[in-house]
Amino acid sequence: MAHPIRRSNAARGVAAGTVALLAAAVLPAGTASASSDTAKSQTRPAQHVIMFDFDGFDPRFLEGRYAGLAELPNIRALIENGAHGVADGSYSSYSNSSRTTTATGAYPAVHRNTGYYYNHETNRGVSQERYIEPGVETIAQSLKRQDRTSAYLQWYAVQNYGATYGDPTALYTQPGGNCETRANQAIALLRGEPVNSGGTMVDPAAIPDLITVYCDDVDGALHDGGFTDPDLPAALARVDAQIGRVRDAAREAGILDRTAFLVTADHGAREWTVPLLPEVLDRLSVTGLKVQVISSSGGVPDPTSEIVIVASPRTADITLSGRADTAKNARRIAKIIKGIPGIAAVHDERDLRRMNASDKLGDLVVEPVEPYHLSTLTDGAPRASHGALPESQVPMVLSGAGIRRGVPLRNVGLVDVAATISALLGVQPPATAQGHVMRGAIERS
C-alpha cells in the first residue's frame, strides 16, 4: 500500500453501516471480545496506566530533523526502559478524529468523527466536531462496564462518551491552562486529593486504574509559528517535564512499580508558507463548472455551486454536486489537480476507503507538498499544521509495569492504544475496537 495507515484484518469489510452489528458485541466482562486479536484476559500486567497525549508532538522531535529543539530527558528515559517506535495515526490527521481513534480503537470509517469537510445533512462546512457514531464504544465506557476506574484530564475525546464531570468512576476534568496545570491534577489524584471537575471538587475513592493527561502546548506553538516558533523549545521541555513530575508522584504513592506509562500524540505537523489554492482555482476554471470555497466554520455553499471546497492548510476537501457529480468528472478534476506543481496527492473515494477514512469526507481530498498550503491565507508567515498523510505519523512510547524493555514497536497505530491499555489492565478492549494489542511490548506472564 502506498500510504502508511495500517489496516488490521478486522478492519477489512468494516464500514460505518456495520456499526450496529459491532455494537451488538458489547458483552459483560469476561466474555469474548469483538477485538481482532484479544482473548479472554487472564492476567493484569499493570495495576495502573498513565497515558500522556501530547497534541502535535511530531516523532521528529525524538529522532530526525527536529530532535535538537529540546533534550526531552523524561521521554527518553521511558524509551530507554521500555518499547517505542513511530505509529500510524488515522486519516485525515485532524485532532478530534485522530483522538477518537485512540479513544475507541476504531478507524474513522467506523467512529465517523471527521475533520474539515462539507456536511451534506447540515449544508455547512465543518472544521472539527465532537461526535462518535452511535454504538461505538470508547475506552471510558469499556472500563466502566468492566468495573475499572478512570480519569481523563482534559482528554476531551471521551467527554460525555463514558466520562463526565463529577463521576468519580469515570471522571472528566477540564482545568485549562498548560500541561503543568493538567499534570497538577494527575498528581493530586495520585496523592488521593480531590480535583476540580466542572466546578465540583471530586475525590475518587482510590487512585484511578487509568489516568490520561492531554496537553496542547506543542500544537499551539506549531500553529503559531511552525518549527521555528520561539516558544516551541519551551513547550517541548514543559510537556516532557510533566512526565517526570507525575512519575515522581507515582513513586511517592508507592505504585510506580505497578504503573505502565504510555506517551503518544494525535498527529505530527508540516510547515506551510506558499499559497497554492489560487492556482487550484485557476486550473479548475477550465472545467466550466461553478467552483466555490466555503469556510470550515459553518460556511454554506451557493445552491448553484458544483464544486464545493473546504480548504485548510494541509487538505482541501472537494465535494461534487449537480452535473459535476459523476465518476468521469471526479477523474477529470483529480487529473487536473494532480498536474499542479506542489500537489502531493489527490485521494479519491477508493483511496479513502483503503485508508479507513470517514465516509463523510468528500469525493476528493487534496494534499500539498510542504511548504505549499491550501488555505486562503497569503501572508507567507511560517506556520505548521496537520491533516494530510505525512503528519499522520506519531510517536508511541510504552514503559513501566508489564512492558518489555528495548522492544522496537513496528506496525502499530493509534487504533491499537485502547486494546493495549485494556490488556495491561486485564480487561477486554472496547467491544467495537478494531485494533490489536501491541503484544510484543507486553511481558508474558
Side-chain angles (χ1 to χ4, degrees):
M1 294 171 65
H3 54 78
I5 302 295
R6 179 178 57 79
R7 300 178 74 237
S8 68
N9 290 333
R12 293 185 174 93
V14 174
T18 66
V19 170
L21 295 176
L22 288 170
V26 179
L27 302 170
T31 60
S33 167
S35 183
S36 55
D37 84 344
T38 53
K40 184 180 293 186
S41 297
Q42 301 290 334
T43 60
R44 182 172 178 172
Q47 292 297 309
H48 304 275
V49 175
I50 299 176
M51 179 173 77
F52 292 89
D53 185 348
F54 294 150
D55 200 320
F57 197 100
D58 195 288
R60 295 173 297 173
F61 292 136
L62 291 169
E63 294 178 303
R65 182 176 180 181
Y66 303 110
L69 287 176
E71 293 184 0
L72 307 176
N74 292 289
I75 298 178
R76 295 191 187 282
L78 293 180
I79 290 172
E80 183 178 352
N81 292 285
H84 83 286
V86 175
D88 293 330
S90 61
Y91 193 85
S92 45
S93 56
Y94 290 109
S95 292
N96 291 15
S97 181
S98 296
R99 193 156 285 110
T100 302
T101 293
T102 305
T104 62
Y107 289 101
V110 169
H111 65 64
R112 300 187 76 222
N113 185 297
T114 312
Y116 289 86
Y117 72 103
Y118 166 63
N119 187 314
H120 292 269
E121 295 180 1
T122 63
N123 193 36
R124 294 181 181 276
V126 177
S127 56
Q128 298 199 66
E129 59 191 7
R130 299 280 188 95
Y131 175 84
I132 299 177
E133 185 74 2
V136 175
E137 190 176 39
T138 68
I139 185 71
Q141 293 165 328
S142 175
L143 291 178
K144 190 171 185 179
R145 172 171 59 82
Q146 299 176 82
D147 298 320
R148 294 290 192 264
T149 58
S150 52
Y152 307 91
L153 312 182
Q154 204 137 345
W155 203 61
Y156 57 83
V158 295
Q159 184 186 12
N160 299 323
Y161 290 98
T164 57
Y165 286 126
D167 182 353
T169 63
L171 186 66
Y172 180 74
T173 74
Q174 193 162 314
N178 61 24
C179 196
E180 182 176 355
T181 305
R182 297 150 198 199
N184 287 344
Q185 285 200 327
I187 292 167
L189 291 171
L190 292 169
R191 290 174 176 170
E193 299 170 356
V195 295
N196 189 322
S197 175
T200 300
M201 298 304 293
V202 177
D203 188 1
I207 296 171
D209 296 298
L210 170 65
I211 298 174
T212 68
V213 182
Y214 166 72
C215 299
D216 53 357
D217 308 43
V218 172
D219 189 65
L222 287 167
H223 280 297
D224 287 344
F227 288 93
T228 58
D229 188 272
D231 295 330
L232 180 58
L236 288 164
R238 184 166 55 251
V239 300
D240 178 78
Q242 306 321 307
I243 296 174
R245 294 180 64 228
V246 171
R247 277 178 53 83
D248 287 344
R251 183 181 294 107
E252 292 168 5
I255 65 165
L256 183 61
D257 63 342
R258 293 176 282 135
T259 301
F261 292 85
L262 190 155
V263 181
T264 191
D266 50 352
H267 53 74
R270 292 297 184 273
E271 286 194 316
W272 52 276
T273 54
V274 184
L276 198 57
L277 184 60
E279 180 67 16
V280 172
L281 297 177
D282 182 64
R283 296 288 186 98
L284 290 179
S285 65
V286 303
T287 64
L289 300 167
K290 183 175 180 179
V291 183
Q292 183 181 6
V293 178
I294 64 170
S295 169
S296 61
S297 300
V300 177
D302 187 285
T304 63
S305 294
E306 296 165 305
I307 301 177
V308 178
I309 302 176
V310 177
S312 65
R314 293 290 298 153
T315 65
D317 181 87
I318 298 179
T319 298
L320 307 180
S321 64
R323 61 180 177 142
D325 189 12
T326 67
K328 182 177 180 180
N329 275 327
R331 291 192 297 270
R332 179 189 179 199
I333 291 166
K335 183 177 180 180
I336 290 170
I337 297 174
K338 285 178 182 178
I340 300 173
I343 293 295
V346 180
H347 302 298
D348 61 19
E349 289 183 342
R350 184 178 177 182
D351 297 327
L352 297 172
R353 284 196 301 271
R354 282 202 302 263
M355 291 189 285
N356 285 295
S358 168
D359 64 337
K360 294 193 287 187
L361 291 175
D363 298 286
L364 301 169
V365 178
V366 182
E367 299 181 5
V369 175
E370 187 179 27
Y372 293 98
H373 69 89
L374 295 165
S375 83
T376 57
L377 295 177
T378 58
D379 59 10
R383 302 178 180 90
S385 293
H386 49 92
L389 202 53
E391 54 269 28
S392 67
Q393 300 288 279
V394 299
M396 186 68 68
V397 180
L398 294 165
S399 189
I403 303 300
R404 296 173 60 195
R405 181 172 180 173
V407 175
L409 294 176
R410 299 188 179 94
N411 196 33
V412 299
L414 291 181
V415 74
D416 301 316
V417 169
T420 301
I421 289 174
S422 300
L424 286 166
L425 294 176
V427 297
Q428 298 297 312
T432 44
Q434 299 169 276
H436 296 270
V437 176
M438 296 181 240
R439 292 200 181 278
I442 297 179
E443 292 178 344
R444 296 179 179 179
S445 58

